[in-house]
Amino acid sequence: MNNPLLSITNSTKLLKPLIPYRISLNTSITKKQNQQSKTLVVKSNSKSITTTLTNSTVSVVRTRRNNNGGFEETTTFKQVGRNGQGKAVLLCALGYWVQGSRCFPWLALNFHMSHCLNLKPSTLQLVQYSAILPMVAKPFYGVLSDVLYIGGARRVPYISIGVVLQGLAWSSLAIFPGAREVLPLLMGFVLLSNFGASITEVAKDALVAEYGLRYQMNGLQSYALMASAFGGIIGNLFGGYCLLKTPPRTVFLAFTALLSLQLIVSLSSKEESFDLSQIREVSQERSLVFGIVKKQFSDLMGIVQVDEISQPLTWIVASIAIVPLLSGSVFCYQTQVLNLDPSVIGMSKVIGQLMLLCFTVVYDRYLKTLPMRPLIHIVQLLYAFSILFDYILVKQINLAFGISNKTFVLCFSSVAEILAQFKILPFSVLLANMCPRGSEGSITAFLASTICLSSIVSGFAGVGMANLLGITSKNYTNLPAGILIQSLAALVPLWLLHYVPISVHELEKEAKRSVSKRSRRNRRIGRVVGQEIFAYRRERETEAQT
């Protein structure tokens, strides 16, 4: 039985070592030098390996062809232009900044639904989490971006398509009054916006994962989160103050202009200048797009079933889904009962994004080398206790200590939300480093999809709990009890921490020490489940070091 972690086809083995041949002492070596490059040709009785070296950043291209009954394999190192690297950085940095800035129109939309449409807290929360549904299909978008080329590229075109869909949705909400006032139409355009955002996010995540693995830049996801947090700071800062002086439709138009800038940058970026690998299937039986997508889905399902991937995924999904959120009820309580204006809510989000930015910098500099399980243990504990800040606010305990509601919301309202975002970062880095070549979009999209799905489950569970407790826009008596239940539920995932690997290195050691019957059986046929992921990583590292 073929192992799903093997290559897509038998004729193209992605797990093959970089140079799996030994060169004997009697091989002949020919060297050719010029001003720009150095070429090393190594010939033996049956094979020839040609290597081109340059003094700058290099990329790897390998070809193999028949040569008089034998074969000839060529490994070429081509120069990577700095201009291409700069465009890749600009495209991704701007993309994540815009992604973080999506809170800018969403803050306006939440106030519009709460104050103009007079939605109940449970209805508002249903709209918020139902809008995430297009993001559940991220694995499908990821598979398409992995195997389906558009204009010779498989990342940048999808970014452009997603930006266009987002711009169409937000501009429609700004221009047409019916799109804002009629709830079904509003939901339709919100779904369209998130559909476009999910496509863009999948392509960006895959591009970052592929770029980091190719050039051995581990932890690029930290910088992506920094850019997103910076966008959140700017978006919430301007969003809160703009809502005091302008209607929501002006905010929607402003965000559409920002999307136009992102579209211009993406359309002017050429993916071939990034010098990323082009993985194309030429086998006759997989020439159809349907066959390619079906096979890629099959490979994806096989990869995520490996314990080293499935167990961390199980924990992160359970830790989110098991906590019933009351975000809609808390938002309505802050704006309708405490009468906090949009600038206060926006500034509280700004402070939260600043905290996220600081946490991410600290993680990238000091924490990413620490054991993963103790780190997640501490973060989950902090998250469970930070939920109690809402309990203190609702019970007005802060007033007994002389802290006004405005000050308390500014300082503590977003702590739980930020910790919930931050705990995803170590898992993103872990899975990005374990992505097999050609499946970067599929794996990163699957992680994002499972997180979105668990968020929807959490949000719907919160709506159900609010209805059971009788929490409405006119009755918040049982809101403190719901917050206590939410905090206790956040402690439950601590019992499942054995699913979280101690560290990436420990994960690799466990795979090597595996003595199970299944592993021994797989070894006899030369396929060791769990080690093949690390074979990908070793091959990536060898390419980058060379």
Side-chain angles (χ1 to χ4, degrees):
M1 181 177 66
N2 290 333
N3 193 292
L5 289 176
L6 292 177
S7 58
I8 298 177
T9 62
N10 294 329
S11 60
T12 307
K13 296 185 178 180
L14 300 182
L15 291 176
K16 196 180 81 170
L18 180 61
I19 302 178
Y21 311 114
R22 295 183 179 178
I23 304 174
S24 59
L25 294 176
N26 58 355
T27 56
S28 61
I29 301 177
T30 304
K31 296 183 178 180
K32 299 180 181 179
Q33 300 182 1
N34 54 33
Q35 294 180 352
Q36 296 181 349
S37 64
K38 182 187 298 182
T39 303
L40 173 65
V41 181
V42 181
K43 295 182 179 179
S44 63
N45 295 332
S46 60
K47 43 191 170 288
S48 174
I49 302 174
T50 304
T51 304
T52 303
L53 303 177
T54 63
N55 295 326
S56 58
T57 307
V58 296
S59 64
V60 182
V61 178
R62 288 199 303 270
T63 59
R64 186 177 184 179
R65 62 180 182 271
N66 292 329
N67 186 12
N68 298 326
F71 62 85
E72 180 177 348
E73 180 162 327
T74 303
T75 303
T76 305
F77 298 81
K78 299 194 307 182
Q79 183 176 358
V80 182
R82 294 182 179 179
N83 188 31
Q85 290 182 345
K87 287 184 178 180
V89 172
L90 175 62
L91 178 65
C92 294
L94 179 62
Y96 281 105
W97 184 76
V98 173
Q99 177 181 331
S101 301
R102 293 181 67 236
C103 59
F104 179 57
W106 266 100
L107 182 62
L109 185 62
N110 286 333
F111 269 94
H112 174 73
M113 291 187 294
S114 176
H115 290 76
C116 299
L117 301 184
N118 297 319
L119 297 184
K120 298 178 181 179
S122 58
T123 306
L124 175 63
Q125 188 163 323
L126 279 175
V127 172
Q128 290 173 339
Y129 286 93
S130 297
I132 307 177
L133 285 173
M135 297 190 175
V136 177
K138 277 188 173 183
F140 178 72
Y141 317 143
V143 168
L144 286 181
S145 69
D146 280 338
V147 301
L148 185 60
Y149 287 72
I150 300 177
R154 58 189 184 124
R155 306 299 185 200
V156 177
Y158 291 92
I159 294 177
S160 302
I161 292 172
V163 172
V164 169
L165 294 177
Q166 291 181 78
L168 179 61
W170 290 111
S171 61
S172 299
L173 288 173
I175 297 173
F176 304 109
R180 299 189 303 271
E181 305 301 330
V182 181
L183 186 59
L185 284 177
L186 185 146
M187 273 298 302
F189 284 111
V190 168
L191 289 171
L192 179 63
S193 171
N194 280 344
F195 175 58
S198 60
I199 296 176
T200 301
E201 290 171 11
V202 165
K204 289 199 310 288
D205 292 343
L207 184 60
V208 168
E210 188 175 0
Y211 200 88
L213 286 171
R214 184 168 181 79
Y215 299 110
Q216 201 181 5
M217 299 177 181
N218 295 334
L220 284 183
Q221 289 72 23
S222 300
Y223 295 99
L225 188 57
M226 291 179 197
S228 180
F230 184 70
I233 292 171
I234 302 299
N236 284 304
L237 181 63
F238 282 96
Y241 286 103
C242 287
L243 287 176
L244 293 176
K245 299 180 179 180
T246 60
R249 64 183 183 87
T250 305
V251 177
F252 301 156
L253 279 176
F255 186 69
T256 303
L258 186 60
L259 290 172
S260 300
L261 174 63
Q262 185 184 8
L263 181 62
I264 293 173
V265 173
S266 63
L267 289 177
S268 62
S269 301
K270 301 298 182 182
E271 190 168 318
E272 56 267 20
S273 65
F274 304 162
D275 198 50
L276 298 177
S277 58
Q278 300 291 305
I279 302 174
R280 296 177 181 272
E281 293 300 328
V282 295
S283 55
Q284 194 173 27
E285 65 273 13
R286 296 187 56 203
S287 58
L288 297 178
V289 173
F290 178 78
I292 297 175
V293 173
K294 182 178 179 181
K295 186 64 171 64
Q296 189 78 357
F297 264 114
S298 177
D299 294 336
L300 173 62
M301 293 299 102
I303 292 171
V304 298
Q305 289 175 8
V306 176
D307 290 342
E308 287 77 12
I309 290 182
S310 63
Q311 290 183 357
L313 275 175
T314 300
W315 190 90
I316 192 65
V317 169
S319 68
I320 297 173
I322 204 171
V323 182
L325 292 181
L326 295 171
S327 57
S329 299
V330 173
F331 178 82
C332 290
Y333 179 84
Q334 292 176 349
T335 57
Q336 296 177 357
V337 177
L338 301 181
N339 296 318
L340 298 177
D341 57 58
S343 63
V344 176
I345 303 298
M347 279 302 301
S348 70
K349 302 292 185 182
V350 169
I351 294 175
Q353 292 296 323
L354 281 172
M355 293 172 57
L356 178 61
L357 183 60
C358 293
F359 289 162
T360 307
V361 172
V362 171
Y363 173 81
D364 183 68
R365 288 182 175 268
Y366 307 108
L367 302 181
K368 66 181 180 181
T369 57
L370 296 180
M372 185 174 177
R373 188 181 299 173
L375 176 64
I376 296 300
H377 190 185
I378 294 173
V379 173
Q380 187 66 21
L381 275 176
L382 292 176
Y383 171 67
F385 288 118
S386 64
I387 294 175
L388 296 177
F389 286 135
D390 288 334
Y391 178 85
I392 294 174
L393 179 66
V394 174
K395 298 292 289 186
Q396 295 289 274
I397 299 175
N398 56 293
L399 298 179
F401 292 91
I403 304 175
S404 65
N405 292 328
K406 179 179 178 180
T407 303
F408 191 85
V409 169
L410 284 174
C411 297
F412 303 106
S413 178
S414 298
V415 174
E417 179 183 353
I418 295 310
L419 288 173
Q421 294 181 39
F422 174 75
K423 74 177 181 180
I424 298 173
L425 177 60
F427 294 92
S428 300
V429 174
L430 173 67
L431 294 182
N433 290 337
M434 297 170 66
C435 281
R437 181 191 301 159
S439 298
E440 295 88 355
S442 304
I443 298 298
T444 55
F446 188 84
L447 172 62
S449 174
T450 54
I451 292 174
C452 291
L453 182 60
S454 57
S455 299
I456 292 174
V457 172
S458 176
F460 285 6
V463 171
M465 184 174 70
N467 289 331
L468 289 175
L469 295 177
I471 302 174
T472 64
S473 57
K474 297 181 180 180
N475 183 12
Y476 292 96
T477 305
N478 293 327
L479 182 57
I483 295 173
L484 286 177
I485 295 173
Q486 187 179 357
S487 179
L488 291 174
L491 295 174
V492 175
L494 295 176
W495 296 94
L496 303 174
L497 273 177
H498 59 276
Y499 283 129
V500 179
I502 297 177
S503 67
V504 177
H505 300 292
E506 184 65 23
L507 196 65
E508 186 169 359
K509 290 179 182 178
E510 290 178 1
K512 291 181 179 179
R513 291 197 307 259
S514 178
V515 292
S516 64
K517 292 182 179 179
R518 178 182 178 185
S519 297
R520 277 181 258 170
R521 182 171 60 251
N522 288 329
R523 285 193 186 98
R524 286 196 295 269
I525 62 174
R527 298 167 182 170
V528 184
V529 177
Q531 291 188 17
E532 288 146 350
I533 294 175
F534 302 104
Y536 279 109
R537 294 179 59 211
R538 286 192 293 270
E539 182 179 353
R540 297 274 195 173
E541 293 172 359
T542 305
E543 289 181 355
Q545 291 172 355
T546 308

PDB file of all heavy atoms in Angstrom, residues 28 104 127 152 157 208 223 300 354 391 408 413 420 533 535:
ATOM      1  N   SER A  28      36.346  11.837 -12.673  1.00  0.00           N
ATOM      2  CA  SER A  28      37.057  12.956 -13.288  1.00  0.00           C
ATOM      3  C   SER A  28      36.307  14.243 -13.029  1.00  0.00           C
ATOM      4  O   SER A  28      35.092  14.272 -13.090  1.00  0.00           O
ATOM      5  CB  SER A  28      37.180  12.723 -14.793  1.00  0.00           C
ATOM      6  OG  SER A  28      35.914  12.633 -15.376  1.00  0.00           O
ATOM      7  N   PHE A 104     -10.901  47.145  10.370  1.00  0.00           N
ATOM      8  CA  PHE A 104     -11.337  48.509  10.084  1.00  0.00           C
ATOM      9  C   PHE A 104     -12.786  48.540   9.580  1.00  0.00           C
ATOM     10  O   PHE A 104     -13.644  49.200  10.185  1.00  0.00           O
ATOM     11  CB  PHE A 104     -10.357  49.133   9.088  1.00  0.00           C
ATOM     12  CG  PHE A 104     -10.686  50.534   8.674  1.00  0.00           C
ATOM     13  CD1 PHE A 104     -10.823  51.540   9.615  1.00  0.00           C
ATOM     14  CD2 PHE A 104     -10.846  50.860   7.346  1.00  0.00           C
ATOM     15  CE1 PHE A 104     -11.120  52.843   9.237  1.00  0.00           C
ATOM     16  CE2 PHE A 104     -11.129  52.151   6.945  1.00  0.00           C
ATOM     17  CZ  PHE A 104     -11.273  53.150   7.891  1.00  0.00           C
ATOM     18  N   VAL A 127     -24.497  36.251  12.899  1.00  0.00           N
ATOM     19  CA  VAL A 127     -24.028  36.858  11.656  1.00  0.00           C
ATOM     20  C   VAL A 127     -22.505  36.860  11.608  1.00  0.00           C
ATOM     21  O   VAL A 127     -21.892  36.543  10.579  1.00  0.00           O
ATOM     22  CB  VAL A 127     -24.580  38.293  11.518  1.00  0.00           C
ATOM     23  CG1 VAL A 127     -23.940  38.998  10.323  1.00  0.00           C
ATOM     24  CG2 VAL A 127     -26.094  38.269  11.367  1.00  0.00           C
ATOM     25  N   GLY A 152       0.724  30.619 -15.701  1.00  0.00           N
ATOM     26  CA  GLY A 152       2.053  30.156 -15.348  1.00  0.00           C
ATOM     27  C   GLY A 152       2.424  30.345 -13.898  1.00  0.00           C
ATOM     28  O   GLY A 152       3.571  30.098 -13.515  1.00  0.00           O
ATOM     29  N   PRO A 157      -1.761  34.900  -8.751  1.00  0.00           N
ATOM     30  CA  PRO A 157      -3.096  35.082  -9.346  1.00  0.00           C
ATOM     31  C   PRO A 157      -4.234  34.868  -8.350  1.00  0.00           C
ATOM     32  O   PRO A 157      -5.256  35.566  -8.409  1.00  0.00           O
ATOM     33  CB  PRO A 157      -3.125  34.028 -10.462  1.00  0.00           C
ATOM     34  CG  PRO A 157      -1.706  33.800 -10.811  1.00  0.00           C
ATOM     35  CD  PRO A 157      -0.958  33.917  -9.522  1.00  0.00           C
ATOM     36  N   VAL A 208       4.361  32.149   1.811  1.00  0.00           N
ATOM     37  CA  VAL A 208       5.292  32.330   2.926  1.00  0.00           C
ATOM     38  C   VAL A 208       5.908  30.996   3.333  1.00  0.00           C
ATOM     39  O   VAL A 208       7.124  30.889   3.566  1.00  0.00           O
ATOM     40  CB  VAL A 208       4.574  32.991   4.120  1.00  0.00           C
ATOM     41  CG1 VAL A 208       5.438  32.924   5.366  1.00  0.00           C
ATOM     42  CG2 VAL A 208       4.242  34.440   3.800  1.00  0.00           C
ATOM     43  N   TYR A 223       6.766  36.892  11.452  1.00  0.00           N
ATOM     44  CA  TYR A 223       6.781  38.198  10.797  1.00  0.00           C
ATOM     45  C   TYR A 223       5.443  38.485  10.111  1.00  0.00           C
ATOM     46  O   TYR A 223       5.008  39.641  10.050  1.00  0.00           O
ATOM     47  CB  TYR A 223       7.927  38.257   9.793  1.00  0.00           C
ATOM     48  CG  TYR A 223       9.281  38.163  10.436  1.00  0.00           C
ATOM     49  CD1 TYR A 223       9.972  36.947  10.473  1.00  0.00           C
ATOM     50  CD2 TYR A 223       9.878  39.266  11.037  1.00  0.00           C
ATOM     51  CE1 TYR A 223      11.212  36.846  11.080  1.00  0.00           C
ATOM     52  CE2 TYR A 223      11.112  39.171  11.645  1.00  0.00           C
ATOM     53  CZ  TYR A 223      11.779  37.958  11.669  1.00  0.00           C
ATOM     54  OH  TYR A 223      13.002  37.860  12.273  1.00  0.00           O
ATOM     55  N   LEU A 300      -3.405  15.027   0.662  1.00  0.00           N
ATOM     56  CA  LEU A 300      -3.620  15.865   1.846  1.00  0.00           C
ATOM     57  C   LEU A 300      -4.232  15.074   2.986  1.00  0.00           C
ATOM     58  O   LEU A 300      -3.794  15.172   4.145  1.00  0.00           O
ATOM     59  CB  LEU A 300      -4.518  17.051   1.471  1.00  0.00           C
ATOM     60  CG  LEU A 300      -4.992  17.935   2.632  1.00  0.00           C
ATOM     61  CD1 LEU A 300      -3.803  18.589   3.326  1.00  0.00           C
ATOM     62  CD2 LEU A 300      -5.976  18.992   2.134  1.00  0.00           C
ATOM     63  N   LEU A 354      -1.313  45.811  19.837  1.00  0.00           N
ATOM     64  CA  LEU A 354       0.036  46.136  20.287  1.00  0.00           C
ATOM     65  C   LEU A 354       0.586  45.023  21.174  1.00  0.00           C
ATOM     66  O   LEU A 354       1.766  44.656  21.079  1.00  0.00           O
ATOM     67  CB  LEU A 354       0.027  47.467  21.047  1.00  0.00           C
ATOM     68  CG  LEU A 354      -0.011  48.744  20.203  1.00  0.00           C
ATOM     69  CD1 LEU A 354      -0.216  49.965  21.096  1.00  0.00           C
ATOM     70  CD2 LEU A 354       1.274  48.891  19.394  1.00  0.00           C
ATOM     71  N   TYR A 391     -15.886  39.158  33.277  1.00  0.00           N
ATOM     72  CA  TYR A 391     -16.696  38.953  34.486  1.00  0.00           C
ATOM     73  C   TYR A 391     -16.540  40.146  35.431  1.00  0.00           C
ATOM     74  O   TYR A 391     -17.529  40.642  36.001  1.00  0.00           O
ATOM     75  CB  TYR A 391     -16.255  37.662  35.177  1.00  0.00           C
ATOM     76  CG  TYR A 391     -16.984  37.363  36.467  1.00  0.00           C
ATOM     77  CD1 TYR A 391     -18.207  36.703  36.462  1.00  0.00           C
ATOM     78  CD2 TYR A 391     -16.445  37.753  37.698  1.00  0.00           C
ATOM     79  CE1 TYR A 391     -18.874  36.431  37.647  1.00  0.00           C
ATOM     80  CE2 TYR A 391     -17.113  37.484  38.881  1.00  0.00           C
ATOM     81  CZ  TYR A 391     -18.323  36.827  38.849  1.00  0.00           C
ATOM     82  OH  TYR A 391     -18.987  36.562  40.021  1.00  0.00           O
ATOM     83  N   PHE A 408     -10.872  50.363  32.096  1.00  0.00           N
ATOM     84  CA  PHE A 408     -10.793  48.910  32.199  1.00  0.00           C
ATOM     85  C   PHE A 408     -10.942  48.250  30.828  1.00  0.00           C
ATOM     86  O   PHE A 408     -10.209  47.308  30.503  1.00  0.00           O
ATOM     87  CB  PHE A 408     -11.874  48.402  33.152  1.00  0.00           C
ATOM     88  CG  PHE A 408     -11.715  46.959  33.529  1.00  0.00           C
ATOM     89  CD1 PHE A 408     -10.889  46.583  34.572  1.00  0.00           C
ATOM     90  CD2 PHE A 408     -12.385  45.963  32.828  1.00  0.00           C
ATOM     91  CE1 PHE A 408     -10.718  45.250  34.915  1.00  0.00           C
ATOM     92  CE2 PHE A 408     -12.230  44.630  33.166  1.00  0.00           C
ATOM     93  CZ  PHE A 408     -11.398  44.270  34.216  1.00  0.00           C
ATOM     94  N   SER A 413      -9.899  44.558  27.901  1.00  0.00           N
ATOM     95  CA  SER A 413     -11.000  43.953  27.147  1.00  0.00           C
ATOM     96  C   SER A 413     -10.522  42.974  26.078  1.00  0.00           C
ATOM     97  O   SER A 413     -11.182  41.967  25.808  1.00  0.00           O
ATOM     98  CB  SER A 413     -11.853  45.048  26.498  1.00  0.00           C
ATOM     99  OG  SER A 413     -12.893  44.490  25.726  1.00  0.00           O
ATOM    100  N   ALA A 420      -5.797  34.177  22.456  1.00  0.00           N
ATOM    101  CA  ALA A 420      -6.363  33.128  21.596  1.00  0.00           C
ATOM    102  C   ALA A 420      -5.712  33.146  20.217  1.00  0.00           C
ATOM    103  O   ALA A 420      -5.509  32.094  19.600  1.00  0.00           O
ATOM    104  CB  ALA A 420      -7.868  33.319  21.474  1.00  0.00           C
ATOM    105  N   ILE A 533       8.134  13.120   6.658  1.00  0.00           N
ATOM    106  CA  ILE A 533       7.979  14.563   6.791  1.00  0.00           C
ATOM    107  C   ILE A 533       9.331  15.194   7.037  1.00  0.00           C
ATOM    108  O   ILE A 533       9.691  16.213   6.455  1.00  0.00           O
ATOM    109  CB  ILE A 533       7.012  14.885   7.946  1.00  0.00           C
ATOM    110  CG1 ILE A 533       5.619  14.382   7.600  1.00  0.00           C
ATOM    111  CG2 ILE A 533       6.978  16.381   8.218  1.00  0.00           C
ATOM    112  CD1 ILE A 533       4.637  14.552   8.715  1.00  0.00           C
ATOM    113  N   ALA A 535      12.135  13.903   6.245  1.00  0.00           N
ATOM    114  CA  ALA A 535      12.939  13.770   5.034  1.00  0.00           C
ATOM    115  C   ALA A 535      12.727  14.981   4.137  1.00  0.00           C
ATOM    116  O   ALA A 535      13.660  15.488   3.517  1.00  0.00           O
ATOM    117  CB  ALA A 535      12.578  12.487   4.291  1.00  0.00           C
TER     118      ALA A 535
END
